[in-house]
Amino acid sequence: PRRDAFDKLGDEINPDYAQMIKKARESAGLTIEELASKMMEKSTLLRKIERQELVPEDTVRKKLETELNIKLTERVSSQDQRGGG
């Protein structure tokens, strides 16, 4: 059986992920550097993510979600393609 790459992806990253991250980081009172050191990541990586130059990989996304207490993905099912919610 042919497998589509997207079959494995039950979650899709929110198109507004950059704004969500920045807003959550600022409301937590953290600079990019502080957040990066908490996550053990480079601040340049986080800067690129916040500028939407880069989509965070799963590991980085999970760290961001944990540190900032946000959800960056939305569940996508093949039955419901309407969007909204």
Side-chain angles (χ1 to χ4, degrees):
R2 193 179 142 286
R3 278 243 179 131
D4 201 288
F6 292 104
D7 287 350
K8 293 192 252 6
L9 293 176
D11 294 330
E12 209 169 82
I13 193 139
N14 190 308
D16 295 331
Y17 70 90
Q19 294 92 315
M20 292 167 70
I21 293 166
K22 185 172 186 176
K23 206 166 119 188
R25 176 181 59 76
E26 287 172 347
S27 72
L30 294 169
T31 65
I32 287 181
E33 287 74 18
E34 289 167 335
L35 179 59
S37 80
K38 280 181 142 201
M39 290 171 52
M40 312 282 275
E41 294 291 341
K42 293 191 171 81
S43 56
T44 51
L45 175 72
L46 295 186
R47 261 197 197 86
K48 284 183 178 171
I49 291 170
E50 279 194 10
R51 287 198 302 250
Q52 254 177 321
E53 291 171 18
L54 208 65
V55 176
E57 292 178 24
D58 273 358
T59 51
V60 176
R61 178 182 53 77
K62 285 182 180 112
K63 287 183 193 178
L64 282 164
E65 289 179 335
T66 304
E67 281 302 330
L68 298 172
N69 200 24
I70 54 175
K71 190 94 179 84
L72 293 173
T73 54
E74 28 196 54
R75 173 73 51 193
V76 177
S77 75
S78 46
Q79 287 89 30
D80 185 22
Q81 291 288 317
R82 288 189 310 267

